[in-house]
Amino acid sequence: MLMERKNFLKIAGLASVSVSTPGLVKAMLLQSEPRAKSLFDISLAEWSLHRHIFDGKIDHLEFAETTKNEFGITAVEYVNQFFTDKVNDPSYLDEMNSRCDDLGVEQLLIMVDGEGDLAVTDQQKRIEAVENHYKWVEAAEYLGCHSIRVNTYGDGSPHEQKQAAVDGLGRLAEFAKDYGINIIVENHGGYSSDAQWLGEVMRQVAMDNCGTLPDFGNFCIKREGGARWEGECVEEYDRYQGVKEMMPFAKGVSAKSYAFDKRGQETTIDFKKMIQIIHEAGYNGYIGIEYEGDALSEFEGIKATKKLLLDIRAQLDAG
């Protein structure tokens, strides 16, 4: 059934290649004609606008237009929960492709949550979670994305969860390989925020299309009461060491930001130090803005993060 769907998407795309599936065309062109890059390019993670989207001020289909016209950014990173009910609708994906093609906006990846735990020790549940992600791999290919971002949540001891993660990621990466899609893991709480643990997972999976998405934040391994997101952090990994250890496997980078001082510097994270780590690792792909602060509005927070990234890039280019 899944192979039938894959073939349908490909046939439908090739049959109307100039109109309905520009994402596929764009992906093919990018593979054959690499674009010249500076130290890095800037993309925008859709979560940066989650309040506007949840409040109905911006529709998911308007995300690319907002990204281009409001912020001058021409690459987007999607969040799956904003179009979960449309993932199996080719006409909706066609509309996403058409709008991005008209705008000259590149679709990079889909951040996938809520599809089950890929590192749960129960094999049946783990396989079910893997299969739940298949539709997002297919959608990513259809949109011309290079990756889907997944989580390695699970249970058991660090070793047990590691073995489960290796199995879950390996199964999903094997499926995604035929679609030309990467499976990338963000440090997103729990053991995934332990960069040594995650690095060992990557080494054991040992597949070219399985990698990481280092995030400047999210290095809390354990919170009070065992909650995933709520409560005080009681065990935290060093963020700079963590990004450094994740970079050998990186297929994207997430520039998390929270607040800024009067000089435009991020007050929680030393962005210049982070960018230097990324630069020294030889990475020159996209760095995605993911603003999560409260002091500035989402629009102003995105603009402040972009300005800081551009300032640092200019300094490194000049130096």
Side-chain angles (χ1 to χ4, degrees), residues 160-212:
E160 290 171 330
Q161 194 165 327
K162 182 190 300 178
Q163 295 307 113
V166 170
D167 179 72
L169 290 173
R171 290 174 186 267
L172 185 54
E174 185 64 34
F175 173 83
K177 183 171 62 175
D178 290 339
Y179 293 80
I181 297 298
N182 299 311
I183 304 302
I184 57 178
V185 181
E186 178 184 355
N187 45 303
H188 210 212
Y191 295 129
S192 72
S193 293
D194 181 328
Q196 289 188 12
W197 181 93
L198 185 56
E200 184 58 30
V201 169
M202 291 296 116
R203 283 185 284 272
Q204 289 189 28
V205 173
M207 294 183 67
D208 291 339
N209 70 321
C210 187
T212 60

Side-chain angles (χ1 to χ4, degrees), residues 40-44 70-73 216 255 257 259-266 271-272 275 287-291 296 298-317:
F40 58 84
D41 289 320
I42 295 174
S43 54
L44 180 63
E70 294 289 340
F71 310 115
I73 295 172
F216 291 2
S257 59
F260 298 84
D261 61 23
K262 293 180 179 179
R263 298 178 297 115
Q265 299 298 310
E266 217 286 338
F271 262 53
K272 188 171 184 179
I275 299 302
I287 295 181
I289 293 171
E290 191 171 28
Y291 173 68
L296 296 175
E298 289 182 325
F299 275 47
E300 292 307 311
I302 292 168
K303 291 175 182 177
T305 309
K306 179 187 175 185
K307 183 180 184 305
L308 179 55
L309 287 172
L310 289 177
D311 287 347
I312 295 171
R313 189 175 73 178
Q315 292 171 23
L316 290 174
D317 276 333

Side-chain angles (χ1 to χ4, degrees), residues 60-89:
H60 169 73
L61 285 175
E62 299 171 325
F63 172 52
E65 180 181 2
T66 302
T67 298
K68 172 75 175 289
N69 294 341
E70 294 289 340
F71 310 115
I73 295 172
T74 57
V76 293
E77 302 175 7
Y78 294 123
V79 174
N80 74 319
Q81 62 184 288
F82 296 135
F83 64 114
T84 297
D85 59 336
K86 301 294 185 181
V87 65
N88 291 313
D89 182 351

Side-chain angles (χ1 to χ4, degrees), residues 115-262:
E115 293 291 0
D117 295 340
L118 292 173
V120 66
T121 54
D122 184 300
Q123 186 181 51
Q124 183 176 346
K125 291 181 179 179
R126 186 167 67 251
I127 292 175
E128 181 180 344
V130 169
E131 293 177 349
N132 285 345
H133 285 76
Y134 286 174
K135 58 184 176 289
W136 294 107
V137 170
E138 294 168 341
E141 181 200 43
Y142 198 66
L143 296 171
C145 298
H146 62 69
S147 303
I148 66 168
R149 187 277 279 147
V150 303
N151 299 302
T152 53
Y153 300 141
D155 61 345
S157 68
H159 176 73
E160 290 171 330
Q161 194 165 327
K162 182 190 300 178
Q163 295 307 113
V166 170
D167 179 72
L169 290 173
R171 290 174 186 267
L172 185 54
E174 185 64 34
F175 173 83
K177 183 171 62 175
D178 290 339
Y179 293 80
I181 297 298
N182 299 311
I183 304 302
I184 57 178
V185 181
E186 178 184 355
N187 45 303
H188 210 212
Y191 295 129
S192 72
S193 293
D194 181 328
Q196 289 188 12
W197 181 93
L198 185 56
E200 184 58 30
V201 169
M202 291 296 116
R203 283 185 284 272
Q204 289 189 28
V205 173
M207 294 183 67
D208 291 339
N209 70 321
C210 187
T212 60
L213 179 69
D215 186 298
F216 291 2
N218 297 346
F219 277 101
C220 182
I221 299 171
K222 184 178 180 181
R223 293 186 182 277
E224 196 172 46
R228 186 168 289 171
W229 295 112
E230 302 296 328
E232 183 179 351
C233 184
V234 295
E235 182 181 355
E236 188 167 17
Y237 205 87
D238 181 270
R239 68 178 75 245
Y240 306 103
Q241 184 65 26
V243 168
K244 183 177 181 179
E245 291 172 347
M246 292 174 69
M247 284 309 300
F249 315 100
K251 298 183 183 297
V253 173
S254 182
K256 182 69 59 60
S257 59
Y258 302 98
F260 298 84
D261 61 23
K262 293 180 179 179

